[in-house]
Amino acid sequence: MSATTMRLDRREVVRELMKDRGDLVVIAGLGSPGYDLFAAGDHDGNFYLWGAMGGAAMIGLGLAFAQRNRPVLVLTGDGEQLMGLGSLATVAAQKPENLSIVVLDNGHYAETGMQKSHTGLGIDLHRMAEAAGFKAREVVAMQEVAALRREIAQSAGGPRFATIRIGAEDTPRALSERDGVFQKTRFRTHLGIAMP
Amino acid sequence: MNVEATPPTGGILAGPDSAPAPWQRDVFEVLKAARVRQMSFVPDAGHARLIEMFQRDPEVQTTVLSTEEEGVALAAGAWLGGERSVLLMQSSGVGNCINMLSLMETCRFPFLTLVTMRGEWAEFNPWQVPMSRATAPVFEAIGVKVMRLERSEDAAETVEAAAALAFEGEQRLAVLFSQRMLGRKKWVAK
């Protein structure tokens, strides 16, 4: 069996990560990770990016600082994280215990025609994150996803980083709300934040 | 020969070992009164005293950035979590931010940045000049309102107005600190 056929199904992975999510709030990077998160079940504690490429981890950091008792997850793709590589250093230097970054890594830019990304050309994001100071690992099996789910649900012990090796097959789009103002208000209301 | 940059001395900016100038203290107090709880920055000599005041304040989380656009995204996350933030940078970093500022406009996130200008007044480094000229047009092109600060006696009032418009009016604001006001950069040969 080739390595490709053994790779995990992205929808199954994200459904597993979102099971019993409790207080978890999630920032989804643009493109497929947002579709995966929406397909796993929309939630007021989800914020779906439709742009801001390279910014997901930093949005997660600002949120993690403001909500220190809540676990914060940045769920993004290899291409999005590659555009914000410097943010791995910025986040790691701050050591936010309640922040986890999970990269769904298919080694390709799925949204734009499946061009190979740097991870598809051999760059290991989790090793870069580990060198920066994250508790980092690569996940290749579903039982590891379940273990990761229990870790990201905690608001201490981070910052964590994981790449999850997923297949590069085409997945149907599942389109979340695109209105940013609506999403912002919904998210803040979920957290009980008074306006403004 | 090594040369080392030091904050300007002899002007209105305080030297490296002295207390902040009164207007710098005022800007800090205004931001505290506006309930700013996060500050991110790419360092600049003109912001050095303000950075130090924030870093000494246990109420404010400070973050050093690897590039300025990270601070824009951080501000969005802070607001999502219910906190106000400010981004400190110099004019050369403004161009790094433009795409990330789409996030602030699209989601109508409040945004406040204080920008020290280089390349516009007694500048010795020609590499600072093009981005200096582009600073205000870049902000305006992406929907950030620009206020210019020319006189230190206006600093507190201007920053206070910008903070109110940003956080209460849910707008995007940049206050540009003119290089003339900050003083000529001094270089010291070792």
Side-chain angles (χ1 to χ4, degrees):
Chain A
M1 194 160 46
S2 78
T4 308
T5 57
M6 289 173 62
R7 286 196 173 176
L8 300 175
D9 175 78
R10 60 186 311 147
R11 290 284 156 86
E12 196 184 333
V13 162
V14 175
R15 262 198 311 275
E16 175 64 32
L17 285 176
M18 290 301 112
K19 209 187 280 177
D20 307 322
R21 60 184 280 170
D23 284 344
L24 186 71
V25 286
V26 187
I27 305 294
L30 78 172
S32 299
Y35 311 151
D36 299 331
L37 181 64
F38 184 72
D42 194 20
H43 192 286
D44 288 354
N46 291 350
F47 193 87
Y48 308 93
L49 296 168
W50 283 86
M53 189 163 175
M58 289 305 302
I59 298 171
L61 181 62
L63 175 58
F65 282 152
Q67 295 283 325
R68 288 181 189 274
N69 297 321
R70 256 179 203 274
V72 174
L73 171 65
V74 172
L75 180 71
T76 192
D78 46 294
E80 202 277 340
Q81 190 58 64
L82 282 162
M83 196 174 280
L85 273 184
S87 68
L88 291 183
T90 299
V91 171
Q94 295 295 327
K95 304 178 178 63
E97 289 217 14
N98 56 333
L99 181 62
S100 300
I101 300 173
V102 171
V103 175
L104 302 170
D105 186 358
N106 64 3
H108 291 77
Y109 293 96
E111 189 72 12
T112 52
M114 279 294 171
Q115 300 86 355
K116 264 192 189 176
S117 75
H118 302 57
T119 62
L121 295 167
I123 305 298
D124 286 329
L125 273 176
H126 70 283
R127 290 173 64 191
M128 298 182 85
E130 185 173 37
F134 283 88
K135 290 161 190 169
R137 66 172 186 268
E138 185 180 44
V139 168
V140 295
M142 276 310 290
Q143 58 267 34
E144 296 173 78
V145 177
L148 181 63
R149 169 172 64 82
R150 287 187 288 275
E151 288 175 29
I152 64 176
Q154 295 165 19
S155 56
R160 300 177 188 83
F161 184 97
T163 51
I164 304 181
R165 287 284 178 185
I166 55 163
E169 61 279 354
D170 214 11
T171 308
R173 290 182 183 185
L175 304 183
S176 71
E177 178 63 53
R178 285 195 297 281
D179 183 334
V181 178
F182 169 81
Q183 281 205 66
K184 172 191 68 175
T185 305
R186 180 177 87 150
F187 191 94
R188 282 167 53 96
T189 304
H190 174 67
L191 293 181
I193 299 164
M195 297 297 288
Chain B
M1 184 179 71
N2 292 321
V3 290
E4 181 180 281
T6 59
T9 53
I12 55 169
L13 267 183
D17 299 319
S18 53
W23 72 270
Q24 294 173 309
R25 168 67 59 185
D26 291 347
V27 167
F28 175 72
E29 295 299 340
V30 159
L31 292 170
K32 288 289 305 208
R35 307 200 310 279
V36 167
R37 290 292 178 269
Q38 295 190 35
M39 183 280 276
S40 66
F41 66 101
V42 174
D44 179 59
H47 277 318
R49 299 286 88 76
L50 192 54
I51 291 168
E52 287 166 12
M53 282 186 277
F54 273 117
Q55 286 180 326
R56 278 198 297 267
D57 189 321
E59 277 190 345
V60 179
Q61 177 69 50
T62 62
T63 301
V64 62
L65 308 167
S66 76
T67 179
E68 290 82 356
E69 66 175 321
E70 292 176 0
V72 179
L74 185 88
W79 186 259
L80 280 178
E83 286 193 346
R84 299 175 175 197
S85 66
V86 64
L87 167 61
L88 310 184
M89 60 175 149
Q90 61 173 276
S91 51
S92 53
V94 172
N96 296 350
C97 297
I98 187 163
N99 183 47
M100 201 60 74
L101 287 166
S102 311
L103 166 71
M104 313 312 271
E105 163 97 13
T106 305
C107 302
R108 215 194 302 144
F109 283 118
F111 176 66
L112 176 62
T113 183
L114 308 183
V115 180
T116 46
M117 294 303 295
R118 292 286 309 273
E120 64 172 20
W121 180 267
E123 176 63 63
F124 80 99
N125 182 355
W127 298 57
Q128 289 280 357
V129 175
M131 193 59 233
S132 173
R133 210 162 42 221
T135 293
V138 159
F139 275 135
E140 283 159 1
I142 198 74
V144 177
K145 179 180 167 66
V146 173
M147 294 183 180
R148 251 192 94 85
L149 192 49
E150 303 282 358
R151 303 182 320 150
S152 58
E153 54 266 40
D154 295 335
E157 186 183 10
T158 303
V159 174
E160 186 175 30
L165 193 47
F167 301 122
E168 311 291 339
E170 298 196 322
Q171 302 300 306
R172 288 138 298 285
L173 266 296
V175 181
L176 311 187
F177 291 15
S178 83
Q179 191 171 16
R180 184 180 191 181
M181 183 189 101
L182 293 168
R184 183 189 296 241
K185 187 168 182 139
K186 296 280 175 63
W187 293 74
V188 179
K190 263 191 177 168

